[in-house]
Amino acid sequence: MYGALVLGTRDYVHKNGFSDVLIGLSGGVDSSLVAAIAADALGPEHVTGVLMPSRYSSAGSLSDAHALAERLAIRTYTVPIEPAHAAFEHMLSPVFENTEAGRAEENVQSRIRGNILMSISNKFGWLVLTTGNKSEMATGYATLYGDMAGGFAVIKDVPKTLVYALCHNLNERAGREVIPSAVLDKPPSAELRPDQQDTDSLPPYEVLDPIIEGYVEDDLSVGELVAQGHDDELVRRVARMIDRNEYKRRQAPPGVRVSPKAFGKDRRLPITNRWFG
């Protein structure tokens, strides 16, 4: 599968007339895997990582991103987003006045980062590789015009649990830590608010991914998944998330297909319908 991701990325980039790619490096496992794939596909000299720390970024995230870039021998830029974040808060304060801070305020950070990446891409002609995985694409745990902004989605058909497996396998085959152990050991987080973790919004990935696989790739119904032993309420919740986020996936860039059924042409779900069965 790793070889397929490398081949698909190399072919898409080169056959569409690009030589270099750009990746937002967060210090997380997804961007680390995408950077490793890109370095193998194109050569590290054609890969640039952009670190975009915010007020919520941990010191570990920055050091992990730097450690990855050093091991891959890719170039990096650091563009802190705090000035833009503060400006957006000030600009939006009259509109958001007397409302409780929540997802909209968090997602401003992701959209600032998407703007930075697309600006650098536009300046130098580098293709932006997005870093969202299949678990996020399935459940809508991604920000339109934010972390979904880019030209090619390398791991959009790779579930989160498989992202970890690919990273561990890459390290084993290399005989060294290409992906730093600190990246693999820490709980996944978008770091858009203090102490945020993915499990604040999603079930643990080892529980979520088999449900996504059954519902999307195997065309199992909610009842069939429950009969397999999955929790009834959780299956219904995940199925609703998958169905209602089709509109987001239609606006995502293309990516490599490595599963029996990827989102897009393989799964023809209408964006708009009144069926909630």
Side-chain angles (χ1 to χ4, degrees), residues 157-174:
D157 197 33
V158 183
K160 186 78 166 191
T161 49
L162 194 49
V163 168
Y164 280 102
L166 285 166
C167 289
H168 284 294
N169 180 258
L170 173 62
N171 286 351
E172 290 170 7
R173 288 187 290 106

Side-chain angles (χ1 to χ4, degrees), residues 97-208:
E97 189 177 10
N98 299 322
T99 65
E100 186 176 345
R103 189 172 300 166
E105 287 81 358
E106 293 176 15
N107 286 341
V108 163
Q109 300 164 76
S110 181
R111 293 188 172 113
I112 291 169
R113 290 179 171 124
N115 204 333
I116 290 169
L117 290 172
M118 292 310 299
S119 296
I120 297 173
S121 168
N122 204 192
K123 184 69 173 178
F124 299 110
W126 301 339
L127 182 71
V128 176
L129 302 182
T130 66
T131 60
N133 59 65
K134 191 171 189 173
S135 307
E136 295 170 349
M137 293 297 102
T139 57
Y141 194 62
T143 304
L144 276 173
Y145 326 119
D147 57 309
M148 292 176 66
F152 193 63
V154 176
I155 58 171
K156 69 179 294 184
D157 197 33
V158 183
K160 186 78 166 191
T161 49
L162 194 49
V163 168
Y164 280 102
L166 285 166
C167 289
H168 284 294
N169 180 258
L170 173 62
N171 286 351
E172 290 170 7
R173 288 187 290 106
R176 63 185 181 93
E177 284 190 2
V178 178
I179 311 295
S181 59
V183 171
L184 300 173
D185 294 341
K186 63 186 175 186
S189 170
E191 292 193 330
L192 299 178
R193 64 173 184 267
D195 303 317
Q196 183 183 29
Q197 294 188 9
D198 288 7
T199 48
D200 296 342
S201 304
L202 298 174
Y205 288 110
E206 60 270 18
V207 176
L208 174 64

Side-chain angles (χ1 to χ4, degrees), residues 72-83:
L72 295 177
I74 64 174
R75 175 178 55 230
T76 62
Y77 296 118
T78 300
V79 184
I81 70 167
E82 179 57 32

Side-chain angles (χ1 to χ4, degrees), residues 4 22 45 47 61 75 77 104 115 132 146 160-161 170 188 192 219 235 237 244 256:
L22 189 65
E45 68 275 15
V47 180
S61 293
R75 175 178 55 230
Y77 296 118
N115 204 333
K160 186 78 166 191
T161 49
L170 173 62
L192 299 178
D219 285 323
V235 171
R237 177 190 165 204
R244 74 169 177 251
V256 188

Side-chain angles (χ1 to χ4, degrees), residues 56-74:
Y56 302 122
S57 298
S58 65
S61 293
L62 290 173
S63 61
D64 292 344
H66 279 298
L68 173 82
E70 185 176 328
R71 294 173 193 198
L72 295 177
I74 64 174

